[in-house]
Amino acid sequence: MISGIMEINGQKIAKESIYRMFQRGQCDRDTSIFTDGPLSLGICVSKVPTLGTKLVFNKGKTLVIAFEGNIFNSQSVKDDAEFFLRSYERLGEDCVDQLNGSFAFAIWDKRKEKLILGRDRLGIESLYYFWDGKRLVFASSVKSILGVIPSKEINFDALHRYLLFNYNPGQDTFFKNINKIRPGHLLILENKNLFTKRYWYLSFSNLGEKNEDEYCEELLNLLRDSVKIRVDSAQQSGAFISGGMDSSSVVGLMSSVIDQTIRTFSFRCLGKSYDESNYARIVSQYYKTDHHEVTFNPEDVASIEEIVEHMDEPFCDIGIEVASYILGRLAEGKVNYVLTGDGGDELFAGHPVYIADRVANSFEKMPQFLKNSIIEGFQFLPDTDKKKNFLVKAKRFSYNYNFSRELLSNRWRIYYNSNELREICTEELLNIFEETNNPYKCVLEYNQEADGRDYLSRSLYGDYNTVVGFYLRRIALIRAFGIEGRFPMLDHRLIEFAATIPSKLKIKGFSDSKYILKKTMTGILPDEIVFRKDKLGHSVPMKNWMRDLEVVKKMMRDVLSEEAIKRRGYFNFQAVEQMIKQHLSKTHNHSHRLWALMVLELWLRKNFD
């Protein structure tokens, strides 16, 4: 973990003030203090499980670097922090352009009196900061910053976005005046001024002119190398597999570049239309992995109370965060790191929302009176116990269709319209929301940066700036068990190449998603994986558990009790109770909303009560 304080105007930093940064995190400390004229800087580094987190100096001690993470193209230099130091000495801050990895860093350049903070291109490693014009506090954990700032207040802008999206897609945090450094950016303090500098931009404007076979050949070479550089034969290697194309491709390519037996891990939820574990077993048997499977039982839902302690901000993925946590627990002691398929849906347009965009485009051509009738009628459809079928998709489509097209794919990920928020929120909270920024502003700004020539390309750009970070948060939970996640499909070379592949090769025809990946991996993966049509996405039957199983219903009632809701003062208990009743009666599926409220309440208890 990296933590530090930069004071301006000669305010001396005592070591004790740095130490306090770790009181809440309970970390070991390695501290360096630099007092230099009008500036003083203190940096702490503590060990993060599986990651090399270090302080390194140049010979004259005019340069100090705190580094956390991995650089995968530094095989000639075993110490990533040393490699980074040498790169900075040669290239200055432009050295980040040469790095392929997951990292966060702080550089104090005494000669230039410049402090530089930065994150990797996709934001795999976290880095937060607080700035009041005189003091800059930074850390890879929000809790470390809370230990030294004057007070903590909730940021209602972030709360507003959380209710809409089930996470905060902005670069601010739930704590007022604590922000994230944006992925692919540097934060620089120079001449008492703090400013950001972008070092990576993902362009979709330079489409290639290759034929399908040429795209497949280059894609396969990049996939292989992205996997290869992330495999370390000196450590025990593992992988998470669901039986889908992305994780199966990672395991298949991993098996060809590593001598040891790969340990694979998967969870299963019993119940028709939710259990995909047989596909994970097919992959394991095909590549002869040492497979470990854990059943996600309703009783495991209670783990969310423990999980929120590891969240810098609340986020919820309808139980998948719990599934990631129990997978980490299963893998503890068996592997040092795991490779996952995260990022594949953005590379090859695999999310169902991209198909929803195509349906919406065709739907637009209908007469208005007919569209209105269909939208209104679908809203009265009852919910079912299944994960996906026509009724579920139709009802979801009709709900989200009326949100702005400018939101691109995030239009389909919103859980409240303005009228529903008015019903559930107290008058006090609504008044605060009305004073804050447009909750969609950050998403719209990401989308406006996109230079793609078509709707899908612009959506993919927006998703790299929003939902990719969301999915990375759940994988970060496995660090509680000393396991590192590595993401071959978030290799920036692969992402940049995929951005040149025409959209028509990502979704073939109307709905054949991930077409180019399937063609590339045909003959490498088992046919049962490449040609399967029933992919659900690793899912949890939370909506059914909330309705049918007493252990989950009791937890929901306890966390969202009248006493708890009224004590918090944010929501109307009658509206929450109405959602619970509608969900139990299968009138509406409110599982995402209810789970989000539960996670929020538990997180607020841990962080603000």
Side-chain angles (χ1 to χ4, degrees):
M1 181 186 298
I2 299 172
S3 294
I5 303 175
M6 169 67 85
E7 296 276 14
I8 296 178
N9 298 327
Q11 299 180 53
K12 187 176 181 181
I13 299 176
K15 282 194 175 185
E16 288 74 16
S17 68
I18 298 288
Y19 286 173
R20 285 199 300 273
M21 301 181 77
F22 289 93
Q23 287 177 352
R24 294 188 64 174
Q26 297 179 341
C27 298
D28 297 327
R29 298 176 288 264
D30 178 8
T31 308
S32 292
I33 305 295
F34 310 89
T35 302
D36 226 0
L39 301 174
S40 63
L41 170 69
I43 298 178
C44 290
V45 167
S46 65
K47 292 182 179 179
V48 176
T50 75
L51 292 189
T53 310
K54 293 185 178 180
L55 274 177
V56 292
F57 304 82
N58 65 351
K59 288 183 178 179
K61 291 198 172 181
T62 58
L63 189 65
V64 59
I65 291 177
F67 182 87
E68 176 174 306
N70 288 305
I71 301 174
F72 296 115
N73 59 333
S74 63
Q75 288 90 341
S76 59
V77 181
K78 290 186 178 181
D79 190 315
D80 289 333
E82 288 285 349
F83 180 85
F84 187 69
L85 174 65
R86 295 183 193 180
S87 298
Y88 180 80
E89 287 180 317
R90 286 189 299 108
L91 302 169
E93 61 196 44
D94 291 338
C95 70
V96 289
D97 293 328
Q98 309 301 314
L99 306 180
N100 186 340
S102 53
F103 49 81
F105 61 83
I107 301 172
W108 169 238
D109 193 330
K110 180 180 177 181
R111 298 160 299 183
K112 299 178 181 179
E113 291 197 342
K114 179 191 288 188
L115 180 70
I116 307 169
L117 308 175
R119 295 174 74 189
D120 61 75
R121 295 170 179 82
L122 280 304
I124 295 170
E125 295 300 321
S126 299
L127 197 56
Y128 303 90
Y129 70 95
F130 164 88
W131 169 247
D132 63 5
K134 294 182 178 180
R135 169 185 276 196
L136 175 66
V137 184
F138 57 91
S140 46
S141 166
V142 169
K143 289 182 179 179
S144 294
I145 296 178
L146 295 175
V148 292
I149 62 175
S151 62
K152 62 178 179 180
E153 300 177 53
I154 192 165
N155 174 18
F156 287 99
D157 281 3
L159 175 60
H160 197 171
R161 289 191 291 269
Y162 173 85
L163 292 174
L164 294 172
F165 294 105
N166 284 359
Y167 76 107
N168 169 28
Q171 298 306 318
D172 57 356
T173 71
F174 260 70
F175 299 95
K176 191 174 289 186
N177 299 322
I178 298 180
N179 298 295
K180 311 177 189 82
I181 295 177
R182 186 173 172 184
H185 284 66
L186 305 177
L187 184 73
I188 301 173
L189 181 63
E190 188 175 25
N191 297 323
K192 300 182 183 180
N193 295 315
L194 189 70
F195 59 94
T196 60
K197 177 181 177 181
R198 186 173 203 150
Y199 70 85
W200 187 64
Y201 175 77
L202 177 60
S203 174
F204 281 81
S205 65
N206 302 313
L207 293 181
E209 297 180 353
K210 301 177 175 67
N211 59 44
E212 286 188 16
D213 291 336
E214 290 172 329
Y215 278 119
C216 288
E217 182 181 1
E218 189 167 348
L219 180 58
L220 183 58
N221 289 335
L222 275 170
L223 282 166
R224 279 179 172 149
D225 195 59
S226 299
V227 169
K228 182 179 179 180
I229 65 175
R230 285 165 176 79
V231 168
D232 182 355
S233 297
Q235 301 185 71
Q236 180 57 57
S237 307
F240 286 167
I241 54 173
S242 65
M245 279 296 302
D246 302 328
S247 61
S248 299
S249 296
V250 167
V251 172
L253 297 173
M254 193 177 177
S255 66
S256 66
V257 299
I258 193 168
D259 293 331
Q260 63 184 241
T261 299
I262 303 166
R263 292 177 178 171
T264 52
F265 303 89
S266 183
F267 76 87
R268 67 182 303 205
C269 290
L270 302 180
K272 191 175 180 181
S273 89
Y274 287 89
D275 186 4
E276 299 181 280
S277 58
N278 61 308
Y279 290 107
R281 289 193 290 272
I282 288 171
V283 175
S284 172
Q285 292 164 7
Y286 193 82
Y287 294 108
K288 297 180 173 57
T289 73
D290 178 13
H291 192 55
H292 303 261
E293 184 179 283
V294 61
T295 300
F296 184 174
N297 294 305
E299 291 78 14
D300 292 315
V301 173
S303 298
I304 193 63
E305 295 193 49
E306 182 181 339
I307 292 169
V308 295
E309 295 184 11
H310 301 285
M311 296 180 180
D312 282 310
E313 293 187 272
F315 68 92
C316 60
D317 196 7
I318 200 61
I320 299 298
E321 69 275 72
V322 178
S324 299
Y325 195 71
I326 64 174
L327 270 182
R329 192 163 58 203
L330 175 67
E332 183 178 18
K334 298 181 178 70
V335 294
N336 301 102
Y337 66 90
V338 292
L339 270 61
T340 83
D342 290 85
D345 284 324
E346 290 73 31
L347 280 174
F348 308 114
H351 286 302
V353 294
Y354 308 133
I355 304 301
D357 283 333
R358 298 198 166 204
V359 174
N361 188 50
S362 298
F363 194 66
E364 280 291 323
K365 300 172 184 177
M366 291 185 181
Q368 190 62 45
F369 79 92
L370 183 57
K371 286 193 294 185
N372 292 342
S373 299
I374 292 173
I375 292 294
E376 185 177 352
F378 280 172
Q379 284 300 293
F380 289 100
L381 292 172
D383 191 36
T384 75
D385 292 335
K386 294 184 178 180
K387 163 74 174 178
K388 292 179 183 178
N389 64 7
F390 175 77
L391 293 180
V392 172
K393 293 177 182 178
K395 191 163 186 174
R396 184 69 183 168
F397 177 88
S398 65
Y399 177 81
N400 288 90
Y401 174 77
N402 286 320
F403 289 104
S404 171
R405 281 177 56 87
E406 293 181 3
L407 292 167
L408 302 180
S409 60
N410 277 302
R411 157 196 198 182
W412 310 105
R413 300 182 175 111
I414 301 170
Y415 291 99
Y416 292 94
N417 61 37
S418 56
N419 290 332
E420 291 165 334
L421 274 182
R422 290 191 191 98
E423 291 178 6
I424 193 174
C425 295
T426 61
E427 186 175 348
E428 293 80 5
L429 185 60
L430 287 173
N431 290 337
I432 294 172
F433 283 171
E434 288 176 3
E435 295 172 1
T436 60
N437 294 323
N438 174 2
Y440 302 117
K441 181 181 178 182
C442 64
V443 174
L444 292 171
E445 287 176 346
Y446 299 143
N447 293 346
Q448 288 163 6
E449 295 173 355
D451 67 354
R453 302 179 189 180
D454 56 56
Y455 198 87
L456 176 60
S457 295
R458 294 194 295 275
S459 291
L460 293 173
Y461 177 89
D463 283 358
Y464 274 113
N465 287 277
T466 53
V467 296
V468 165
F470 172 56
Y471 296 132
L472 286 172
R473 293 184 196 184
R474 72 188 188 203
I475 297 297
L477 295 172
I478 67 175
R479 285 197 181 165
F481 304 98
I483 300 168
E484 175 197 350
R486 298 185 180 182
F487 311 97
M489 292 198 175
L490 293 179
D491 187 301
H492 73 276
R493 302 167 303 162
L494 184 57
I495 292 171
E496 289 167 354
F497 174 70
T500 70
I501 300 176
S503 294
K504 64 183 180 181
L505 296 182
K506 293 171 183 174
I507 303 179
K508 191 78 165 179
F510 192 74
S511 61
D512 188 5
S513 60
K514 293 188 179 178
Y515 170 79
I516 193 68
L517 177 62
K518 292 172 185 174
K519 182 167 183 178
T520 299
M521 299 305 294
T522 298
I524 299 174
L525 291 180
D527 287 350
E528 297 96 320
I529 302 300
V530 176
F531 300 110
R532 62 177 293 200
K533 300 294 185 182
D534 59 343
K535 177 61 180 169
L536 297 170
H538 237 23
S539 55
V540 177
M542 190 66 73
K543 68 174 182 179
N544 299 336
W545 289 354
M546 284 179 170
R547 287 167 174 158
D548 303 329
L549 301 178
E550 194 59 39
V551 63
V552 181
K553 285 197 289 185
K554 183 179 185 305
M555 182 179 179
M556 176 174 63
R557 291 287 192 184
D558 289 344
V559 175
L560 301 180
S561 68
E562 183 173 5
E563 179 185 1
I565 296 294
K566 290 183 176 179
R567 183 179 65 246
R568 186 66 55 203
Y570 292 164
F571 307 112
N572 293 315
F573 173 71
Q574 290 78 8
V576 175
E577 182 67 13
Q578 179 69 9
M579 279 201 300
I580 293 174
K581 289 179 179 178
Q582 289 179 343
H583 184 77
L584 294 177
S585 66
K586 298 185 181 181
T587 306
H588 293 284
N589 174 18
H590 291 305
S591 57
H592 286 84
R593 293 174 173 179
L594 294 169
W595 183 249
L597 292 176
M598 291 168 65
V599 171
L600 175 65
E601 172 61 24
L602 292 170
W603 186 87
L604 289 170
R605 290 179 191 178
K606 297 287 185 181
N607 290 275
F608 280 93
D609 292 351

